Amino acid sequence: MPLPFSPPIRARILCLVLGALGGGVFYLLHLPLPWMMGAMTLTTLAAVSGVRIAMMPRVRMVFVAILGIMLGSAFSPQMLDHLQNWAISLLWLALYVVVTTYLVRLYYIHFAGYDAVTAYFAAAPGGLSEMILAGSAFGGDEARISLAHGARILVAVFVLSFGYRWLGGYTPTGASAAAASLPLDIVDLLWLGGAGVLGFFGARKLRMPAYALVGPMIVSALLHVVGVTASRPPAELVAIAQIVVGSMIGARFTGLPLRLVLRGILLAVGATAVLLIVAAGFGFAVDATAGVPFGSALLAFSPGGLAEMSLIALALGVDAAYVSSHHVVRIFMIVVAAPLVFRLLRHKG
């Protein structure tokens, strides 16, 4: 008797089922950020064990857009008073991007044996898909660039989740400071839903990097800053978003040889250690010069993905608006500057 779904659909559904199961286990064990960590762990183990799971890009986009609305609702009119401090922090961020790209590039060349092109785009802490496309266009190894960024996000999420819980004393609430309890008023739902739809399609039309998250976040932030609405998405959506995002991290390793994945993760441990050490140094600098708490600055400078770091900030009650804004700016910096800088460096030999 034929199965009701084609193999790709079964693989995608299995990915989310395993993600929810892993999240539930981590939740029962009272581990930090259980829904994302559990989903990421179980789907990664399944992928490297040969289980056929697959990403669901459209489902991920929906929940990433909801996450963007949540992050936008963390903005408030009072934040306008802190723009000067944020500007100082963003200047430090620009320097951080330059320093870490240079150091991690050297790491991948001399320690991993990567060629110069692959090492450069594997080191640039930008969007995963953008760096893969740019790196392959310049002749880099697409598989190694993809694995470097995917493994870096995996390692960063693990280290930061447990580090903030055990060393920083942060206690995940399971919800977020930027979320509300169900139900919401119909007017609130219309405002938030409109922000998501307008932001998503507007940012896609403008070809913004990470448009599914950045667009809804910008529109939602504008609505909250000008005082049109103070409503926030339901807290229950945070857990679902964690499951989806965590599952998609694990699904990236499907079909890759176990030996290649393990080597990529080991290399990512070293690269992430360099990034986090430098991020900690810049975190102290931001704390001293801009008055931003070290815990917020470290998470804003940490080498994870935009969606993943934003979810950690939401779950831990760290300043989500500050953290997400810095990761958005970092991605814009890298996506715009990385190819231009590489052309300049290659032209000069």
Side-chain angles (χ1 to χ4, degrees):
M1 179 178 177
L3 293 173
F5 301 119
S6 63
I9 297 178
R10 290 202 308 271
R12 293 170 183 175
I13 293 176
L14 179 60
C15 181
L16 291 181
V17 170
L18 290 175
L21 179 61
V25 171
F26 272 49
Y27 177 80
L28 294 176
L29 294 175
H30 303 288
L31 294 175
L33 276 77
W35 299 110
M36 182 166 66
M37 294 281 293
M40 183 177 67
T41 301
L42 190 55
T43 53
T44 299
L45 291 174
V48 299
S49 300
V51 178
R52 300 300 299 180
I53 58 175
M55 297 178 65
M56 301 181 73
R58 293 181 180 177
V59 173
R60 185 181 187 275
M61 280 189 177
V62 170
F63 282 96
V64 165
I66 293 172
L67 175 58
I69 299 171
M70 291 179 183
L71 294 171
S73 67
F75 288 76
S76 66
Q78 291 74 26
M79 288 184 176
L80 296 176
D81 300 331
H82 302 289
L83 289 182
Q84 182 178 354
N85 292 341
W86 282 30
I88 296 173
S89 180
L90 289 171
L91 290 175
W92 283 112
L93 178 66
L95 181 59
Y96 167 81
V97 168
V98 174
V99 171
T100 52
T101 301
Y102 177 77
L103 292 177
V104 178
R105 174 182 172 274
L106 292 179
Y107 168 82
Y108 276 118
I109 289 176
H110 297 292
F111 188 80
Y114 287 3
D115 63 89
V117 179
T118 301
Y120 177 83
F121 287 99
L128 184 146
S129 58
E130 291 85 1
M131 292 303 97
I132 294 173
L133 291 173
S136 60
F138 284 107
D141 189 322
E142 184 175 325
R144 286 180 170 178
I145 296 172
S146 173
L147 187 57
H149 286 286
R152 169 176 55 83
I153 293 173
L154 180 74
V155 173
V157 171
F158 264 101
V159 171
L160 292 168
S161 299
F162 284 99
Y164 271 73
R165 171 74 174 274
W166 292 343
L167 302 178
Y170 288 83
T171 303
T173 61
S176 74
S181 298
L182 286 172
L184 287 176
D185 185 87
I186 184 64
V187 177
D188 296 332
L189 289 174
L190 289 175
W191 278 118
L192 296 177
V197 173
L198 178 62
F200 179 92
F201 289 103
R204 188 173 71 173
K205 185 71 173 177
L206 295 173
R207 298 182 179 180
M208 289 184 177
Y211 64 86
L213 188 145
V214 173
M217 187 184 80
I218 291 174
V219 178
S220 177
L222 289 174
L223 291 177
H224 287 82
V225 167
V226 301
V228 173
T229 180
S231 57
R232 299 162 184 252
E236 290 76 6
L237 289 178
V238 179
I240 300 175
Q242 287 187 44
I243 292 173
V244 172
V245 172
S247 300
M248 299 304 112
I249 294 175
R252 290 193 180 108
F253 300 105
T254 300
L256 295 176
L258 178 59
R259 183 169 62 87
L260 180 64
V261 172
L262 291 178
R263 184 173 188 270
I265 292 176
L266 288 175
L267 289 172
V269 169
T272 305
V274 173
L275 290 163
L276 287 176
I277 290 170
V278 178
F282 276 85
F284 284 117
V286 172
D287 190 352
T289 59
V292 177
F294 173 78
S296 299
L298 176 60
L299 196 55
F301 281 64
S302 293
L306 169 57
E308 292 78 12
M309 295 299 100
S310 299
L311 276 171
I312 292 177
L314 286 168
L316 294 177
V318 178
D319 188 345
Y322 170 82
V323 171
S324 59
S325 297
H326 278 61
H327 282 285
V328 168
V329 172
R330 172 181 57 82
I331 290 175
F332 271 97
M333 287 180 184
I334 292 295
V335 170
V336 172
L340 297 177
V341 172
F342 183 80
R343 287 193 184 97
L344 179 63
L345 294 175
R346 187 169 65 173
H347 178 70
K348 292 186 176 183

